[in-house]
Amino acid sequence: MPTPVRISASEAFVETLAAHGVTEVFGIVGSAYMDAHDLFPLAGIRFISTAHEQNAAHMADGYARVTGRTGVCIAQNGPGVTNFVTAVAAAYWGHTPLVVITPEAASKTAGLGGFQETEQLPIFSKITKYQAHVNAPSRIAELTHRAFQLAQLERGPTQLNIPRDHFYGEFETVLPTPLPIRRGAGDLAALTRAAELLAAAKFPVIVAGAGVNAAGGRAELIALAEQLGAPVVNSYLHNDSFPDEHPLAAGPLGYQGSRAAMNLIHRADVVLALGTRLGPFGTLPQYGFDYWPRGAKVIQVDVDGRVLGLVKPVDVAVQGDARLAAAALLEKLQATQGPRTADAGRIALVAAERRAWAAELAERAGADEPGRVDPRRALAALAAALPPDAIVSTDIGNVCSVANSYLAFAQPDSFLAAGPFGNCGYAYPTALGAKVGAPQRPVVAYVGDGAWGMSLAEVLTAVRENIAVVAVVFNNGQWGAEKRNQIDYFDSRFLGSELRNPDWAELARTMGADGVTVTREADIGPVLRAALASGRPMVINLVLTQALAEPFRRDAFQPPRRLLEKYRAHSAKA
C-alpha cells in the first residue's frame, strides 16, 4: 500500500495530471486555477495558451486523436468554460478521450450570482461520458484520476469541475496510480455466429470505422480482409482506417465518398461493421444511389454496447474491441478454412471499380477561370502533393466536404474531421493540436473562407508556440453549403451566404506567419510542398471558382410554401 503524503490541493491535482502522462495542456490562463497553473512547468507540463477556449478544446481533440493519449483543456470559470461547449460536443461525437477541466466560482458563494458564475455541470451533461465535481479539496486527486480513467474507458470527454477555493488546503492522501484499460474481443457465442456468417458469405464487405484506429487494429483488419477476400470500405470521414494502397481498399462511404465503395457494399450479402456505429449521415444515399444493402446480414462490432443496432438493424452484435474481435474472427475462420491466399477475382473487381470512380471524378471537375481554380481540380492537386505521412484536418462546408472524394491515406491517425457534429472552425485548431502531438509529421488544415473567420485568430497561437501547420483556405467568397441550398430551394436568394474577404495571405503575414495567395492550378502542388518544407506556420489563400457540389442532403428540405400574401413572392414556383 502506498504511503500517504502531506500535500496541498494544487499539488495533488498537478501530480495526478503528471501520473496520467499529461505533458501538454491547452487553454487560456485564469485566476480561478492559477495556484495549480503555477506548478505546471515544474511538473513537466507545457501550457499552450490559445486565442479562444473553443479552439483550446479542439487542439486537445486533435492531440488526443493522433497520440492516443488523453487530451486536456482548461479555462477560467464562467465565460471561459462556456466557450468550450462546441468543441466538447465535437469530441463527444468523435469519441475522443478528453478531460475538460472546468474551474468554478467559489463554493462558499455558489448561487449568489457572483462574478463569472454559472452552473457548469448541466451545460456539459449531454456531451460528456462522465462528470466529477470536487466537493472537497481532499478529493481532488481521487476525482482527477477518475476523470482520466473514464475518458479512456468510455472513449469520450469527461468533465472535472473544481470550485476555485478547492485548489487550496493541505491534507494527507495517497496519490492514485493509473490503472491499465483492459478490453475484450466480445461474447464468444456472438463471435462464433459472426464467423459462421462470414465463412458462408459469397460477397462479404467490411466497413472499417474509427474504432479500428483507436484499438490499433490495422494489422488484424488487413489479415481478416485477406482471409475473406473482402473489399474494405471506410466509414464516413475515417479514410485512414484502412491503407488506401491495399488492393482490397475501396474508399469511403458517406457524403462525397467513393462510388466504388458504394457499388461494392451494395453487392454484399454479409457486412462486417468493425469499430463503427454506422452513423446515419454516413450511410445516407449519395449520387442518387441508396447503396446500403437491404438484404445483407449485418455484423456490428463496437466497444460501446449502446450503439449496437442503434442506427441499422443487425443480425449479430458484438460488444468488443475492434482489434481483438478481428483477431478472434480470423482465428475462427482459419481454424475451419485454413489460411487463404488473395482472391484474384475480388481484387480485380475492386481495381475496376476504383478505376471507374477515378474516371468519373476527373469528369466531375469543372473549368478553371482566370485567377480562380475549380474546387475539384484544387482538391486533386492538393492530394497529389501531400506527403505519405501527412495528417489532414478538414472543416465543414461544401469544398471541405468534397475533399472526402480525394483524400486517401496509408497511415492510421491521419484524417481529422468534425464528423457528425459538423461544426465550423474545427479544422485549424485541431490541426494545431495534432502537430503538437506528432511534431515529426506534416499537418495540413483544409478550411473554407467562412469557417476561417472563426479560427484565424489561432494563427497567433501557431506563431507564438512555433506550431508549423499549413492552413489551406478555400477562398470562394461564399458559405458554399448554405448557398447550395439557396440555389436549389430558394430561387438563388443569397441571404447571408456571400462573403467579402480580406487578403488572407497578407493578414497571415501581419500576424507573423507566412502567407501566399495561389490563383493557378499549376502552383498548388509546389506551394504546398514548399510550405511543408519551411517548418513555419503558413496560410495558403487558395482562390477558387464558385462551383458547388451536391448539397449535404436533399431529404431535409421541401419546396417552400407561403400562405400569407406578403410572403407569396418567396413560394416555390408551380
Side-chain angles (χ1 to χ4, degrees), residues 283-309:
T283 53
L284 283 174
Q286 187 65 196
Y287 313 122
F289 179 26
D290 189 1
Y291 55 83
W292 188 256
R294 303 294 173 185
K297 300 289 186 183
V298 178
I299 303 159
Q300 186 181 9
V301 178
D302 201 278
V303 73
D304 183 357
R306 289 168 291 192
V307 305
L308 296 174

Side-chain angles (χ1 to χ4, degrees), residues 124-306:
F124 295 91
S125 62
K126 299 297 184 182
I127 52 173
T128 51
K129 296 287 188 176
Y130 168 76
Q131 294 177 292
H133 177 74
V134 177
N135 58 1
S138 59
R139 297 192 67 190
I140 198 168
E142 169 206 341
L143 294 172
T144 300
H145 165 70
R146 184 76 171 153
F148 275 88
Q149 289 289 144
L150 289 174
Q152 285 287 344
L153 182 65
E154 297 281 339
R155 297 293 309 175
T158 62
Q159 181 185 6
L160 178 64
N161 199 63
I162 311 172
R164 61 186 299 154
D165 51 314
H166 287 356
F167 284 103
Y168 297 94
E170 298 178 8
F171 44 83
E172 280 198 356
T173 191
V174 174
L175 293 173
T177 301
L179 302 173
I181 303 296
R182 305 293 187 195
R183 305 191 192 278
D187 176 68
L188 179 59
L191 289 165
T192 300
R193 177 58 181 151
E196 291 170 351
L197 287 177
L198 291 167
K202 295 178 180 174
F203 199 93
V205 174
I206 299 173
V207 182
V212 174
N213 284 348
R218 173 74 68 100
E220 289 77 7
L221 170 56
I222 291 170
L224 180 59
E226 291 173 349
Q227 173 74 22
L228 292 167
V232 180
V233 302
N234 309 104
S235 68
Y236 182 52
L237 297 179
H238 296 295
N239 302 17
D240 57 349
S241 60
F242 192 74
D244 180 70
E245 72 273 13
H246 194 282
L248 289 170
L253 299 179
Y255 178 66
Q256 293 295 324
S258 162
R259 192 189 289 273
M262 297 169 193
N263 286 341
L264 289 162
I265 198 170
H266 188 66
R267 298 177 56 163
D269 59 341
V270 176
V271 173
L272 171 60
L274 188 64
T276 171
R277 67 187 187 94
L278 294 173
F281 194 66
T283 53
L284 283 174
Q286 187 65 196
Y287 313 122
F289 179 26
D290 189 1
Y291 55 83
W292 188 256
R294 303 294 173 185
K297 300 289 186 183
V298 178
I299 303 159
Q300 186 181 9
V301 178
D302 201 278
V303 73
D304 183 357
R306 289 168 291 192

Side-chain angles (χ1 to χ4, degrees), residues 519-545:
T519 59
R520 298 191 319 140
E521 184 180 340
D523 295 335
I524 292 173
V527 168
L528 178 60
R529 284 188 283 267
L532 291 171
S534 73
R536 291 259 305 150
M538 164 73 92
V539 175
I540 298 174
N541 178 36
L542 180 51
V543 185
L544 303 181
T545 73

Side-chain angles (χ1 to χ4, degrees), residues 329-348:
L329 290 171
L330 177 65
E331 182 180 0
K332 289 179 178 297
L333 288 165
Q334 289 185 337
T336 57
Q337 299 174 331
R340 287 183 164 182
T341 57
D343 186 325
R346 197 70 55 77
I347 287 171

